[in-house]
Amino acid sequence: MIQPEKMPEMPNDLQIARQAKLRPLGEIARGMGIREEFLEPYGDSVAKVKLGAVEELSDRPRAKYVVVSAITPTPLGEGKTTTTVGLGQAFSHIGKRATVAIRQPAMGPTFGIKGGAAGGGYSQVVPMELLNLHLTGDNHAVTAAHNLLAAMLDNHIHQNDDFFHVDRHSVTWRRVLDVNDRVLRNIIVGLGPQTDGIIRETGFDITAASEVMAILALSTSLRDLRERLGRIVVASDTGGNPITAEDLKAAGAMAVILREAIKPNLMQTFENTPVLVHAGPFGNIAHGNSSVMADLIGIHAGDFLVTEAGFGADMGAERFFNIKCRASGLRPDAAVLVATVRALKAHSGRHRIKAGAPLPPELLAENPDDVHAGAANLLKQIENVRLHGVSPVVAINAFPTDHASEHAAIRSIAEKAGARVALCEHFTRGGAGAVELAEAVAEAAAEPTSFRFLYPEEATLREKIEAVATKVYGASGVEYDFGAARQLDAYERQGFGRLPVCIAKTHLSISSDPNLLGAPMGWTLPVREVRASVGAGFIYPICGEMRTMPGLSRHPAAERIDIDERGEIVGLS
């Protein structure tokens, strides 16, 4: 590998993105089998795809369906989006046509510490400024629809409607905003004269954490979207009965706000591979996958549909298999696990990586023994993919600071576990750098599949939670706080027991404790609270402290973002 001192200087992501030679979107769509009449252009570089394209493409052959996940990531992330884009590009290098489907980035993290989410280097979605900033306004539509419901709920409380009385202490529906702002986590509303409403405690979450976002991502049609919105539970009445958006007569107006947002957005990669960008549900408390609508289009648009699942395979991929695939009816043919030298070294417990801080020098020193010491995490995530009957392919996402001996260590670990392995240099070389990965994925996807859900629909909520905890996380059991146990019993009585579960926990460990690295065993999953996203169609037990409204760092990315004298954006990464 090229050592850091010899590495030629590489342009940054924004500079690379501006080198892209974009093709007309009509041409991109035609390559997918989508006629131009199904496109609604938003400028020159992005277009909405009308929902009629689903039926238009339905008689075309089905693409191989590939999900990209990862080992448990460090706070810096391991390059899942970059790998997803690089793999999509690489298929054209082996004579195959691919479509990529990814989530839309949240603007809060873009202006915070994380930066954008368009991929990176020569494997990114372009124009990256459009993708990271507003795009076609879908996130803002989610914000507006969510907050309309909050306003109508508070108005109902204020008007003291005789139809039903809201138990103010039962209200679970907060407001949302697509900005990182810690001071809004807990607020008091209704201050001032009596005409300004009833005083009560509430707060804001980031828009990506909204149930409306999860609904947008899981809906299979406009009608399905409308019905799911109506099922949202926001509070209980004084008799303990759930109050829904339909009860408040808010769901119809919410659907109107989201009428355009349900249409997936068509863009392209640096190498002109089609990309469907749609929805961005939070990966901690929601399922962390792009939309079903995008997949229903992409599954008939080429030879391969490559999509991404958030965080490690214990989180995004598990939810992809057990929540998204239940909603869409689609079944995966292969799964990619992105692994990096730095993450496996971190899982050895010998190095600490902190977001926003330089990597420790000892982490960059050649040490394949540290890679082997962190191997348990990779092995468990391979097992987690196989639990669902899907063939895993390990993608070694190479960094210039890696060493050949460390890559060899990852290859040895994965091959001994029976997984296919590919070394990837798509960040610096684009699709050509992921050809080995494309060939391995094509081989895996050609094998007969035996996809299966982790648990049956008719299992109880406790049985579902315990299946994920023990089989996927490696826990020895589950412990429920008294309140959580009561909530589970109530949801079973209310008829929500057939819903899948989406366990809200840290993404920095397979366990619920972010400090436990590798693949910890013999621990107990603590469920302190259980909430219902009835509209989205899942129950989410909360294990540990979940931040649903991030804060800004001491020096957020927003400080570096500006407009130059030509009106071009600078500092975006």
Side-chain angles (χ1 to χ4, degrees):
M1 294 297 296
I2 297 174
Q3 297 303 309
E5 64 272 18
K6 299 178 182 177
M7 184 176 64
E9 187 172 341
M10 184 172 169
N12 64 38
D13 288 350
L14 186 54
Q15 292 169 332
I16 291 171
R18 287 178 176 159
Q19 297 172 10
K21 295 178 172 59
L22 299 180
R23 290 180 181 168
L25 280 177
E27 181 182 327
I28 299 291
R30 283 194 298 275
M32 303 168 69
I34 300 174
R35 286 180 287 151
E36 213 157 333
E37 66 191 74
F38 287 99
L39 298 186
E40 295 177 353
Y42 276 65
D44 298 327
S45 307
V46 62
K48 283 284 188 186
V49 181
K50 296 179 183 178
L51 301 191
V54 175
E55 185 176 350
E56 171 80 2
L57 297 172
S58 61
D59 60 349
R60 290 170 58 92
R62 180 190 179 281
K64 294 293 185 181
Y65 193 27
V66 180
V67 61
V68 177
S69 188
I71 62 174
T72 302
T74 66
L76 305 179
E78 308 319 309
K80 284 194 310 299
T81 306
T82 306
T83 303
T84 301
V85 174
L87 174 59
Q89 294 181 154
F91 277 118
S92 68
H93 292 256
I94 63 170
K96 303 291 183 183
R97 294 180 302 115
T99 301
V100 171
I102 62 171
R103 287 180 290 173
Q104 180 178 342
M107 285 207 305
T110 296
F111 288 104
I113 197 168
K114 183 176 182 292
Y122 292 93
S123 292
Q124 58 175 306
V125 181
V126 289
M128 65 95 83
E129 307 101 299
L130 280 177
L131 178 63
N132 288 307
L133 303 172
H134 305 294
L135 197 57
T136 56
D138 295 348
N139 286 0
H140 302 313
V142 170
T143 301
H146 180 112
N147 291 339
L148 173 64
L149 178 55
M152 293 184 73
L153 172 61
D154 276 317
N155 182 60
H156 186 96
I157 295 171
H158 172 66
Q159 302 291 351
N160 198 22
D161 195 310
D162 289 334
F163 181 62
F164 56 81
H165 297 284
V166 177
D167 176 359
R168 279 181 276 164
H169 299 292
S170 73
V171 173
T172 56
W173 197 254
R174 294 152 57 92
R175 285 166 171 79
V176 297
L177 192 67
D178 197 13
V179 172
N180 289 7
D181 194 347
R182 61 172 52 84
V183 303
L184 293 178
R185 289 171 182 163
N186 298 285
I187 64 171
I188 297 174
V189 296
L191 296 174
Q194 189 174 0
T195 54
D196 290 348
I198 304 295
I199 295 175
R200 67 179 183 87
E201 292 185 33
T202 182
F204 275 78
D205 299 324
I206 194 167
T207 297
S210 168
E211 183 180 349
V212 177
M213 181 68 84
I215 287 172
L216 182 68
L218 289 168
S219 296
T220 58
S221 66
L222 187 59
R223 177 183 291 275
D224 185 39
L225 173 75
R226 171 63 181 82
E227 292 173 353
R228 286 174 178 269
L229 292 170
R231 294 197 293 267
I232 294 172
V233 175
V234 296
S236 300
D237 65 19
T238 50
N241 303 302
I243 296 171
T244 67
E246 201 68 68
D247 293 330
L248 293 167
K249 299 180 173 61
M254 294 170 71
V256 168
I257 292 172
L258 295 168
R259 181 172 175 266
E260 297 302 313
I262 195 176
K263 301 171 184 175
N265 306 289
L266 178 63
M267 298 183 74
Q268 59 189 291
T269 73
F270 186 85
E271 296 181 8
N272 313 118
T273 300
V275 183
L276 293 166
V277 182
H278 199 212
F282 212 45
N284 286 101
I285 68 164
H287 62 295
N289 282 253
S290 60
S291 80
V292 167
M293 289 304 315
D295 286 2
L296 292 177
I297 292 170
I299 201 66
H300 295 291
D303 300 311
F304 288 86
L305 170 60
V306 183
T307 190
E308 176 193 352
F311 298 137
D314 57 300
M315 296 189 70
E318 183 273 313
R319 296 163 187 179
F320 169 83
F321 295 138
N322 294 298
I323 296 176
K324 186 179 182 183
C325 288
R326 285 182 198 268
S328 69
L330 301 177
R331 300 293 180 260
D333 297 289
V336 174
L337 285 171
V338 179
T340 61
V341 166
R342 71 183 185 191
L344 285 172
K345 284 184 172 181
H347 280 293
S348 72
R350 301 168 184 172
H351 308 279
R352 180 174 173 80
I353 297 175
K354 185 177 179 181
L359 292 173
E362 59 273 17
L363 182 78
L364 303 179
E366 183 172 8
N367 195 335
D369 289 342
D370 279 359
V371 175
H372 281 287
N377 189 270
L378 173 57
L379 294 173
K380 185 67 179 85
Q381 301 293 25
I382 290 172
E383 178 188 319
N384 287 339
V385 170
R386 287 205 175 112
L387 279 172
H388 297 88
V390 181
S391 296
V393 179
V394 175
I396 305 172
N397 186 18
F399 284 69
T401 50
D402 296 347
H403 301 269
S405 63
E406 296 166 336
H407 292 158
I410 298 176
R411 187 178 293 274
S412 172
I413 292 161
E415 286 179 344
K416 284 180 181 177
R420 290 179 171 85
V421 194
L423 180 64
C424 306
E425 296 178 310
H426 44 277
F427 184 88
T428 54
R429 298 177 55 210
V435 166
E436 184 184 355
L437 177 60
E439 290 172 340
V441 169
E443 285 181 6
E447 295 178 344
T449 58
S450 56
F451 174 75
R452 55 188 173 271
F453 297 122
L454 189 67
Y455 48 77
E457 187 179 80
E458 60 271 14
T460 67
L461 292 174
R462 282 178 174 81
E463 288 170 342
K464 292 169 183 174
I465 294 168
E466 287 154 20
V468 177
T470 58
K471 296 179 182 179
V472 176
Y473 303 161
S476 58
V478 181
E479 185 175 272
Y480 302 94
D481 284 1
F482 177 73
R486 291 187 60 184
Q487 288 163 335
L488 282 171
D489 293 339
Y491 293 145
E492 293 279 5
R493 287 194 304 271
Q494 291 166 357
F496 304 149
R498 295 181 72 86
L499 297 179
V501 295
C502 181
I503 298 178
K505 72 171 188 71
T506 179
H507 61 284
L508 297 174
S509 172
I510 292 182
S511 76
S512 58
D513 181 349
N515 298 309
L516 294 180
L517 302 175
M521 304 289 286
W523 57 279
T524 301
L525 181 72
V527 178
R528 63 176 180 83
E529 184 182 355
V530 184
R531 298 180 186 174
S533 288
V534 182
F538 54 76
I539 301 295
Y540 64 101
I542 299 175
C543 307
E545 292 297 323
M546 291 294 106
R547 286 290 187 205
T548 53
M549 171 54 82
L552 293 173
S553 61
R554 184 180 295 273
H555 295 291
E559 293 181 355
R560 303 183 291 276
I561 297 172
D562 208 334
I563 292 180
D564 66 16
E565 62 277 3
R566 295 171 298 176
E568 291 191 342
I569 296 169
V570 295
L572 187 63
S573 62

